Amino acid sequence: MTENQQVSGSYWLQTAPGGQHAALTGDLDVDVAVIGGGIAGLCTAWELTRAGKSVAVLEAGRIAASVTGHTTAKVTALHSLIYDKLRRTRGSEGARLYARSQSEAIEHAAEVAAGLGIDCDWERRSAYTFTRDAGRVEELRAEARAAREAGLPASFVTETGLPFPVAGAVEVTGQAQFHPRKYLLALADDLVARGGRIHEDTTVLGLDEGEPCRLSTESGATVTARDVVVATHYPIFDRALLFTRLSPHRELVVAGTVPADQDPGGMYITPDENTRSVRTAPYGEDGTRRLLMITGEHFTPGTGDTRARFDRLAAWAREHFPDVELTHRWATQDNSPTDTVPLVGPLHHGARHTYVATGFAGWGMSGGMMASLLLTAQITGEECAWSGLYDPRRLAPAVREAPSFLKTQAEVARHFVGDRLRPSPPVEALPPGEGAVVRADGGRLAVYRDEDGALHAVSARCTHLGCLVDFNSAERAWECPCHGSRFDIDGKVVQGPATKPLERRHIGGDAEGRAPAG
């Protein structure tokens, strides 16, 4: 299959399309409303339903289809290089709580899959963080020691199943990988069977934190709930200004089949080479081939040439796995907290019945599972040993890691001001299939020319906080480099934190903001 023949879309979505859940059309009263139908939201809703709560999941698009539907689905407590840093910034106890919380979440998910009989390709594999740079070996040795002291079955190794030598690697045994859609769609079915409700195509626009809480939706329906969980990946309600402590980033994925005997036999990641992550998954019925997934090319949304990044990633895959037949390509997005640890717990200092789960830094599978257990404990009044570690209201760790916070805010300020000073191309120069931010009508417009030559024009100001979007040519989307909101060519929200579309504009075209070429 050639580069142009590769399927542009997630393998998980294509192999587990799932059914549909009706949009919310009338008012609803429940114990808990969960906003967001990704892994954190669905797992939390399922746990709460099992605990006897009446629960409704409100998802703006399709469940398990946004960030969760584009993951590489590693379920591991080894999160690249984190334990040595946690030992220094949170102490040995903080590192142990992190390892314990992630590990217990993984084992809980394994029990759930077995208990419900979910066929989700659950496989036990070792996880590795590796380097080919001899200068980083001591860093990995320190990470292995810290992970082992935190309670993980970790060791430093120099041999792996990769088809190239490494200078060193941290190995943690007994980790897992799975098909995220198969797992979550089965969980959703069981949630509904237990009396829970799921409403797709239901955008929440407002939150009143009274007693009870009230949510207003785009359709005009109101949801009344004692407790509300905001699990929208990037919080759509941010009264604690969490956006100042989160940094969005995208990574690309290329996937294809390899002979089963070339399976490297583990889950691998390196921070080198702008990140490279490797894993395989079952493929086909006869077991002769495996699906190889390569992830990398870490970048901020709305910056740089995404097509060139896909090309680099595909070239890396072919260089190291010459027999790979690339079949798929997609991208994923994550938010990293400035002080390392995810933000899971009360939404802000004054919150009594509102909660948030965000900042999983690329490790949302174990992180989302962990969050569901933590939030369920808090909502049902149970104790959770690691509540303090993940508390979004924490101040001391944020102060200790202030340089990271300041760097994030400086980057946002650079885009907010600098992107407005960029020269813009004339509309006439836009070729079919391309988009650009141009000056028109006294402001900045985001303009896309489709394959028929028609122009699609929208405001270039992100509806979240006003940064200017930029065009991702590989995915044909407008992206905000400040906080990661994404929109389609006609301005519809693809990914938050924005909840409102980019305003349609006219360039001498029809009422829909489209104009013929020339």
Side-chain angles (χ1 to χ4, degrees):
M1 184 174 286
T2 68
E3 197 75 33
N4 291 333
Q5 292 173 316
Q6 289 179 36
V7 176
S8 181
S10 164
Y11 174 81
W12 312 125
L13 291 169
Q14 292 159 12
T15 53
Q20 288 187 299
H21 299 269
L24 182 65
T25 56
D27 293 350
L28 182 62
D29 193 337
V30 292
D31 293 332
V32 186
V34 177
I35 309 171
I39 188 166
L42 285 174
C43 288
T44 300
W46 184 82
E47 295 289 344
L48 287 166
T49 301
R50 193 177 66 150
K53 300 289 186 181
S54 61
V55 182
V57 176
L58 309 174
E59 166 57 47
R62 301 284 305 280
I63 60 169
S66 184
V67 174
T68 296
H70 293 79
T71 176
T72 49
K74 298 175 178 178
V75 192
T76 175
L78 181 64
H79 298 168
S80 189
L81 299 171
I82 190 171
Y83 288 100
D84 189 43
K85 183 175 183 179
L86 286 176
R87 185 172 57 178
R88 287 182 277 107
T89 60
R90 306 296 176 91
S92 297
E93 180 61 16
R96 280 194 293 270
L97 285 173
Y98 189 91
R100 176 186 164 194
S101 63
Q102 301 291 325
S103 297
E104 289 190 11
I106 295 167
E107 296 312 312
H108 180 70
E111 292 171 3
V112 171
L116 296 180
I118 303 174
D119 181 10
C120 60
D121 301 331
W122 185 275
E123 296 180 317
R124 290 289 186 174
R125 294 285 174 108
S126 288
Y128 298 84
T129 299
F130 72 92
T131 185
R132 293 198 278 179
D133 179 358
R136 301 194 72 170
V137 165
E138 287 308 311
E139 183 181 4
L140 267 71
R141 286 187 184 276
E143 180 68 13
R145 286 193 298 270
R148 187 166 56 252
E149 290 172 8
L152 296 181
S155 59
F156 177 82
V157 299
T158 56
E159 299 290 333
T160 71
L162 290 167
F164 49 79
V166 301
V170 182
E171 178 185 9
V172 174
T173 59
Q175 306 303 285
Q177 56 188 25
F178 72 153
H179 191 305
R181 288 272 297 175
K182 290 180 179 179
Y183 179 85
L184 290 171
L185 293 178
L187 215 62
D189 289 343
D190 191 67
L191 185 157
V192 172
R194 292 172 180 267
R197 301 182 62 156
I198 297 175
H199 293 286
E200 297 178 321
D201 298 319
T202 300
T203 300
V204 177
L205 298 179
L207 167 62
D208 177 356
E209 294 187 65
E211 293 192 22
C213 299
R214 286 183 172 80
L215 299 173
S216 58
T217 66
E218 191 174 46
S219 68
T222 298
V223 179
T224 302
R226 181 182 186 277
D227 296 292
V228 172
V229 174
V230 181
T232 53
H233 191 63
Y234 204 119
I236 58 170
F237 301 116
D238 199 1
R239 289 153 196 185
L241 303 181
L242 296 183
F243 71 85
T244 64
R245 296 161 62 187
L246 293 170
S247 176
H249 57 89
R250 287 183 76 72
E251 287 187 328
L252 308 182
V253 183
V254 295
T257 63
V258 293
D261 61 5
Q262 295 181 20
D263 180 359
M267 303 177 293
Y268 301 87
I269 190 169
T270 178
D272 304 338
E273 302 179 80
N274 197 18
T275 310
R276 292 291 184 264
S277 171
V278 179
R279 68 155 283 199
T280 66
Y283 186 87
E285 298 295 330
D286 59 9
T288 61
R289 300 188 74 80
R290 299 273 297 180
L291 184 75
L292 174 74
M293 283 171 277
I294 310 290
T295 309
E297 293 299 310
H298 181 113
F299 66 101
T300 300
T303 62
D305 187 339
T306 308
R307 284 177 177 161
R309 291 187 171 104
F310 266 122
D311 289 343
R312 285 196 294 271
L313 198 60
W316 193 94
R318 292 192 179 100
E319 176 187 355
H320 298 294
F321 296 88
D323 293 330
V324 67
E325 296 178 9
L326 294 177
T327 56
H328 291 74
R329 56 192 294 181
W330 69 87
T332 185
Q333 186 156 315
D334 293 293
N335 300 308
S336 294
T338 56
D339 65 349
T340 310
V341 174
L343 304 154
V344 182
L347 182 59
H348 54 80
H349 281 278
R352 298 183 63 185
H353 296 287
T354 51
Y355 303 84
V356 69
T358 188
F360 297 115
W363 302 102
M365 296 299 98
S366 63
M369 295 166 178
M370 176 279 299
S372 73
L373 299 177
L374 192 161
L375 293 175
T376 298
Q378 292 181 334
I379 290 171
T380 58
E382 298 178 0
E383 293 295 324
C384 182
W386 47 84
S387 289
L389 177 67
Y390 294 101
D391 194 332
R393 301 166 299 181
R394 62 189 184 248
L395 293 177
V399 171
R400 282 197 298 268
E401 300 191 36
S404 179
F405 170 85
L406 294 173
K407 180 181 178 181
T408 296
Q409 295 317 300
E411 186 69 10
V412 169
R414 184 180 70 81
H415 281 293
F416 192 89
V417 176
D419 290 354
R420 285 167 163 75
L421 304 177
R422 289 183 311 195
S424 58
V427 173
E428 297 77 14
L430 273 180
E434 292 293 339
V437 174
V438 304
R439 292 184 182 274
D441 300 330
R444 295 275 190 168
L445 299 186
V447 181
Y448 170 77
R449 188 185 300 279
D450 65 28
E451 300 298 344
D452 295 325
L455 297 175
H456 302 246
V458 295
S459 168
R461 283 173 51 89
C462 177
T463 55
H464 177 228
L465 290 176
C467 291
L468 295 187
V469 298
D470 202 2
F471 192 63
N472 178 332
S473 59
E475 300 177 81
R476 298 195 177 184
W478 297 106
E479 298 178 342
C480 174
C482 292
H483 305 109
S485 295
R486 304 180 69 244
F487 309 83
D488 71 10
I489 58 172
D490 289 317
K492 180 182 178 181
V493 176
V494 174
Q495 196 159 352
T499 59
K500 297 179 181 179
L502 299 176
E503 183 181 345
R504 293 285 191 94
R505 294 295 179 86
H506 308 278
I507 301 186
D510 60 23
E512 296 299 316
R514 295 188 295 266

